[in-house]
Amino acid sequence: MDAKFLKSLTILILSLAVLTACQEDEIPLKTVQKVDLERFMGDWHVVAIIPNFIERNAVNGVESYTLNEDGHVDIRYTFRIGDATGKKKEMTAKGFIYDTETNAEWRVQFLWPFKLPYLVIDLDPEYRYTVIGVPNRKYAWVMSRKPEIDSDVYEGILQRMESQGYDVESLKKMPQIRDGKS
């Protein structure tokens, strides 16, 4: 990682930590009832986000999860800036399962010692899509196993997010551009 990106990442993590700790809504986000961690692992294409400043011009976002023998999750998030040939960015983190009964509430650590809440608030029964939220609803990631998501499915996701207090107008589709096509 270059120094400028590392500095930006550190600022992002500290900002998220402060925002998450200080501005939780009165009504907590509801997580899904159960996440089968084995099924959840693998690659997820980021199809829409409420972006942080690092992701503002991101395309081709992919979040990859690998379950370790110790029960932690290795997280790798890659994307490009601007277009499919733009500079590739990669962030890594470690996920800690916080609610082991449901596996739907994690703490994610990009930078020691900060662990940020990571909530699985929507998940397709077939694990085709998921939505990750944070308690203050300032950020969200809508992800799919494929680079695109059916418009009817997406509309349903937006309705469920709105019912949880998200401002869905803040959600931006992330271009998934492959071989010159989106």
Side-chain angles (χ1 to χ4, degrees), residues 150-181:
D150 182 74
S151 61
D152 292 339
V153 171
Y154 186 70
E155 286 303 316
I157 289 169
L158 293 180
Q159 289 172 6
R160 289 187 295 279
M161 288 179 73
E162 194 167 44
S163 74
Q164 287 235 49
Y166 263 99
D167 173 13
V168 296
E169 296 297 319
S170 300
L171 206 61
K172 308 291 183 218
K173 288 227 176 167
M174 180 184 283
Q176 291 287 333
I177 305 166
R178 306 285 180 241
D179 299 324
K181 300 185 225 176

Short mmCIF file of all heavy atoms in Angstrom, two decimals, residues 150-181:
data_model
loop_
_atom_site.label_atom_id
_atom_site.label_comp_id
_atom_site.label_asym_id
_atom_site.label_seq_id
_atom_site.Cartn_x
_atom_site.Cartn_y
_atom_site.Cartn_z
N ASP A 150 -30.85 -8.34 -10.10
CA ASP A 150 -32.15 -8.14 -10.73
C ASP A 150 -32.83 -6.90 -10.14
O ASP A 150 -32.80 -6.68 -8.93
CB ASP A 150 -33.01 -9.39 -10.51
CG ASP A 150 -34.35 -9.28 -11.17
OD1 ASP A 150 -34.42 -9.39 -12.41
OD2 ASP A 150 -35.34 -9.08 -10.43
N SER A 151 -33.45 -6.09 -11.00
CA SER A 151 -34.04 -4.83 -10.53
C SER A 151 -35.16 -5.06 -9.51
O SER A 151 -35.29 -4.27 -8.57
CB SER A 151 -34.54 -3.99 -11.71
OG SER A 151 -35.53 -4.68 -12.43
N ASP A 152 -35.95 -6.11 -9.67
CA ASP A 152 -37.01 -6.40 -8.68
C ASP A 152 -36.41 -6.76 -7.33
O ASP A 152 -36.91 -6.34 -6.29
CB ASP A 152 -37.92 -7.53 -9.17
CG ASP A 152 -38.76 -7.14 -10.36
OD1 ASP A 152 -38.97 -5.92 -10.57
OD2 ASP A 152 -39.23 -8.04 -11.08
N VAL A 153 -35.35 -7.54 -7.35
CA VAL A 153 -34.65 -7.91 -6.11
C VAL A 153 -34.07 -6.66 -5.47
O VAL A 153 -34.21 -6.45 -4.25
CB VAL A 153 -33.55 -8.96 -6.39
CG1 VAL A 153 -32.68 -9.20 -5.16
CG2 VAL A 153 -34.18 -10.27 -6.87
N TYR A 154 -33.46 -5.80 -6.27
CA TYR A 154 -32.86 -4.57 -5.76
C TYR A 154 -33.92 -3.67 -5.12
O TYR A 154 -33.70 -3.10 -4.05
CB TYR A 154 -32.12 -3.84 -6.88
CG TYR A 154 -31.35 -2.64 -6.43
CD1 TYR A 154 -30.21 -2.78 -5.64
CD2 TYR A 154 -31.75 -1.36 -6.78
CE1 TYR A 154 -29.49 -1.67 -5.21
CE2 TYR A 154 -31.04 -0.24 -6.37
CZ TYR A 154 -29.91 -0.41 -5.58
OH TYR A 154 -29.21 0.68 -5.16
N GLU A 155 -35.06 -3.54 -5.76
CA GLU A 155 -36.15 -2.71 -5.20
C GLU A 155 -36.61 -3.26 -3.86
O GLU A 155 -36.89 -2.50 -2.93
CB GLU A 155 -37.31 -2.61 -6.18
CG GLU A 155 -37.04 -1.71 -7.36
CD GLU A 155 -36.66 -0.29 -6.96
OE1 GLU A 155 -37.30 0.29 -6.07
OE2 GLU A 155 -35.69 0.25 -7.55
N GLY A 156 -36.70 -4.59 -3.74
CA GLY A 156 -37.06 -5.20 -2.46
C GLY A 156 -36.03 -4.90 -1.38
O GLY A 156 -36.39 -4.62 -0.22
N ILE A 157 -34.76 -4.94 -1.76
CA ILE A 157 -33.68 -4.62 -0.82
C ILE A 157 -33.83 -3.18 -0.34
O ILE A 157 -33.74 -2.90 0.86
CB ILE A 157 -32.30 -4.85 -1.47
CG1 ILE A 157 -32.04 -6.35 -1.66
CG2 ILE A 157 -31.19 -4.20 -0.65
CD1 ILE A 157 -30.84 -6.67 -2.53
N LEU A 158 -34.08 -2.26 -1.28
CA LEU A 158 -34.23 -0.85 -0.92
C LEU A 158 -35.40 -0.66 0.05
O LEU A 158 -35.29 0.10 1.03
CB LEU A 158 -34.44 0.01 -2.16
CG LEU A 158 -33.27 0.13 -3.13
CD1 LEU A 158 -33.65 1.02 -4.31
CD2 LEU A 158 -32.03 0.64 -2.43
N GLN A 159 -36.51 -1.34 -0.20
CA GLN A 159 -37.67 -1.22 0.69
C GLN A 159 -37.34 -1.71 2.10
O GLN A 159 -37.71 -1.07 3.10
CB GLN A 159 -38.86 -2.00 0.12
CG GLN A 159 -39.46 -1.37 -1.10
CD GLN A 159 -40.51 -2.26 -1.76
OE1 GLN A 159 -40.88 -3.31 -1.25
NE2 GLN A 159 -40.99 -1.83 -2.92
N ARG A 160 -36.62 -2.84 2.20
CA ARG A 160 -36.26 -3.36 3.51
C ARG A 160 -35.26 -2.45 4.22
O ARG A 160 -35.34 -2.25 5.43
CB ARG A 160 -35.73 -4.79 3.39
CG ARG A 160 -36.84 -5.79 3.03
CD ARG A 160 -36.37 -7.23 3.06
NE ARG A 160 -35.37 -7.54 2.06
CZ ARG A 160 -35.62 -7.81 0.77
NH1 ARG A 160 -36.86 -7.80 0.32
NH2 ARG A 160 -34.64 -8.10 -0.06
N MET A 161 -34.33 -1.87 3.46
CA MET A 161 -33.38 -0.93 4.06
C MET A 161 -34.12 0.31 4.58
O MET A 161 -33.85 0.78 5.69
CB MET A 161 -32.30 -0.53 3.05
CG MET A 161 -31.31 -1.63 2.74
SD MET A 161 -30.06 -1.10 1.53
CE MET A 161 -29.08 0.02 2.54
N GLU A 162 -35.03 0.82 3.79
CA GLU A 162 -35.80 1.99 4.21
C GLU A 162 -36.61 1.69 5.47
O GLU A 162 -36.70 2.53 6.37
CB GLU A 162 -36.70 2.45 3.07
CG GLU A 162 -37.28 3.82 3.26
CD GLU A 162 -37.90 4.35 1.99
OE1 GLU A 162 -38.62 3.59 1.29
OE2 GLU A 162 -37.68 5.54 1.70
N SER A 163 -37.18 0.49 5.55
CA SER A 163 -37.96 0.13 6.74
C SER A 163 -37.08 0.04 7.99
O SER A 163 -37.59 0.11 9.10
CB SER A 163 -38.71 -1.19 6.51
OG SER A 163 -37.82 -2.29 6.57
N GLN A 164 -35.76 -0.08 7.79
CA GLN A 164 -34.83 -0.10 8.91
C GLN A 164 -34.25 1.30 9.19
O GLN A 164 -33.35 1.44 10.01
CB GLN A 164 -33.67 -1.07 8.63
CG GLN A 164 -34.10 -2.53 8.71
CD GLN A 164 -33.22 -3.28 9.68
OE1 GLN A 164 -32.98 -2.85 10.80
NE2 GLN A 164 -32.72 -4.43 9.25
N GLY A 165 -34.76 2.30 8.51
CA GLY A 165 -34.32 3.67 8.78
C GLY A 165 -33.19 4.18 7.91
O GLY A 165 -32.66 5.26 8.16
N TYR A 166 -32.82 3.45 6.88
CA TYR A 166 -31.79 3.92 5.97
C TYR A 166 -32.36 4.96 5.01
O TYR A 166 -33.49 4.84 4.55
CB TYR A 166 -31.20 2.77 5.16
CG TYR A 166 -29.92 2.22 5.75
CD1 TYR A 166 -29.93 1.07 6.53
CD2 TYR A 166 -28.71 2.86 5.54
CE1 TYR A 166 -28.76 0.57 7.08
CE2 TYR A 166 -27.54 2.38 6.08
CZ TYR A 166 -27.57 1.23 6.84
OH TYR A 166 -26.41 0.75 7.40
N ASP A 167 -31.56 5.96 4.70
CA ASP A 167 -31.87 6.93 3.66
C ASP A 167 -31.39 6.31 2.35
O ASP A 167 -30.22 6.43 1.99
CB ASP A 167 -31.16 8.25 3.92
CG ASP A 167 -31.31 9.25 2.78
OD1 ASP A 167 -32.16 9.02 1.89
OD2 ASP A 167 -30.57 10.24 2.78
N VAL A 168 -32.29 5.64 1.65
CA VAL A 168 -31.90 4.91 0.44
C VAL A 168 -31.52 5.85 -0.70
O VAL A 168 -30.89 5.42 -1.67
CB VAL A 168 -32.96 3.87 0.00
CG1 VAL A 168 -33.12 2.79 1.06
CG2 VAL A 168 -34.29 4.53 -0.30
N GLU A 169 -31.87 7.14 -0.58
CA GLU A 169 -31.44 8.11 -1.58
C GLU A 169 -29.93 8.29 -1.55
O GLU A 169 -29.33 8.72 -2.53
CB GLU A 169 -32.13 9.46 -1.36
CG GLU A 169 -33.65 9.41 -1.53
CD GLU A 169 -34.08 9.04 -2.93
OE1 GLU A 169 -33.46 9.54 -3.90
OE2 GLU A 169 -35.02 8.24 -3.07
N SER A 170 -29.30 7.97 -0.42
CA SER A 170 -27.84 8.08 -0.29
C SER A 170 -27.11 6.90 -0.95
O SER A 170 -25.91 6.96 -1.15
CB SER A 170 -27.44 8.12 1.19
OG SER A 170 -28.01 9.22 1.81
N LEU A 171 -27.85 5.85 -1.25
CA LEU A 171 -27.26 4.65 -1.84
C LEU A 171 -26.90 4.92 -3.30
O LEU A 171 -27.69 5.48 -4.05
CB LEU A 171 -28.27 3.51 -1.75
CG LEU A 171 -27.74 2.10 -1.73
CD1 LEU A 171 -26.86 1.86 -0.51
CD2 LEU A 171 -28.90 1.11 -1.72
N LYS A 172 -25.68 4.56 -3.67
CA LYS A 172 -25.19 4.75 -5.05
C LYS A 172 -24.83 3.39 -5.63
O LYS A 172 -24.16 2.59 -4.99
CB LYS A 172 -23.94 5.63 -5.06
CG LYS A 172 -24.08 6.94 -4.33
CD LYS A 172 -25.01 7.88 -5.03
CE LYS A 172 -25.07 9.21 -4.29
NZ LYS A 172 -26.36 9.81 -4.27
N LYS A 173 -25.28 3.16 -6.86
CA LYS A 173 -24.86 1.92 -7.52
C LYS A 173 -23.38 2.01 -7.83
O LYS A 173 -22.88 3.04 -8.25
CB LYS A 173 -25.66 1.72 -8.81
CG LYS A 173 -27.11 1.35 -8.53
CD LYS A 173 -27.49 0.20 -9.38
CE LYS A 173 -28.91 -0.22 -9.01
NZ LYS A 173 -29.47 -1.12 -9.97
N MET A 174 -22.69 0.89 -7.60
CA MET A 174 -21.27 0.82 -7.94
C MET A 174 -21.14 0.12 -9.27
O MET A 174 -21.57 -1.02 -9.42
CB MET A 174 -20.45 0.06 -6.89
CG MET A 174 -18.97 0.00 -7.24
SD MET A 174 -17.95 -0.97 -6.12
CE MET A 174 -17.80 0.14 -4.73
N PRO A 175 -20.57 0.80 -10.27
CA PRO A 175 -20.41 0.14 -11.57
C PRO A 175 -19.56 -1.13 -11.46
O PRO A 175 -18.54 -1.16 -10.78
CB PRO A 175 -19.70 1.20 -12.41
CG PRO A 175 -19.98 2.50 -11.73
CD PRO A 175 -20.07 2.17 -10.27
N GLN A 176 -20.04 -2.15 -12.11
CA GLN A 176 -19.30 -3.40 -12.23
C GLN A 176 -19.01 -3.55 -13.72
O GLN A 176 -19.84 -4.04 -14.49
CB GLN A 176 -20.11 -4.59 -11.70
CG GLN A 176 -20.31 -4.58 -10.21
CD GLN A 176 -19.04 -4.93 -9.44
OE1 GLN A 176 -18.16 -5.64 -9.94
NE2 GLN A 176 -18.93 -4.43 -8.23
N ILE A 177 -17.85 -3.08 -14.12
CA ILE A 177 -17.49 -3.00 -15.54
C ILE A 177 -16.56 -4.15 -15.87
O ILE A 177 -15.48 -4.28 -15.30
CB ILE A 177 -16.81 -1.65 -15.85
CG1 ILE A 177 -17.71 -0.50 -15.40
CG2 ILE A 177 -16.48 -1.54 -17.34
CD1 ILE A 177 -17.01 0.84 -15.34
N ARG A 178 -16.98 -4.98 -16.77
CA ARG A 178 -16.18 -6.13 -17.21
C ARG A 178 -15.98 -6.04 -18.70
O ARG A 178 -16.92 -5.87 -19.47
CB ARG A 178 -16.90 -7.45 -16.89
CG ARG A 178 -17.29 -7.59 -15.43
CD ARG A 178 -16.07 -7.89 -14.57
NE ARG A 178 -16.48 -8.03 -13.19
CZ ARG A 178 -16.05 -7.25 -12.22
NH1 ARG A 178 -15.23 -6.28 -12.45
NH2 ARG A 178 -16.45 -7.42 -10.98
N ASP A 179 -14.74 -6.11 -19.15
CA ASP A 179 -14.41 -6.12 -20.57
C ASP A 179 -15.06 -4.95 -21.32
O ASP A 179 -15.64 -5.13 -22.38
CB ASP A 179 -14.83 -7.44 -21.22
CG ASP A 179 -14.13 -8.63 -20.60
OD1 ASP A 179 -12.95 -8.49 -20.24
OD2 ASP A 179 -14.76 -9.69 -20.48
N GLY A 180 -15.02 -3.76 -20.70
CA GLY A 180 -15.57 -2.59 -21.36
C GLY A 180 -17.06 -2.43 -21.24
O GLY A 180 -17.63 -1.50 -21.76
N LYS A 181 -17.76 -3.37 -20.57
CA LYS A 181 -19.21 -3.28 -20.41
C LYS A 181 -19.56 -3.20 -18.94
O LYS A 181 -18.88 -3.75 -18.10
CB LYS A 181 -19.90 -4.53 -20.99
CG LYS A 181 -19.65 -4.78 -22.45
CD LYS A 181 -20.48 -5.96 -22.85
CE LYS A 181 -19.67 -6.91 -23.69
NZ LYS A 181 -20.39 -8.11 -24.03
#
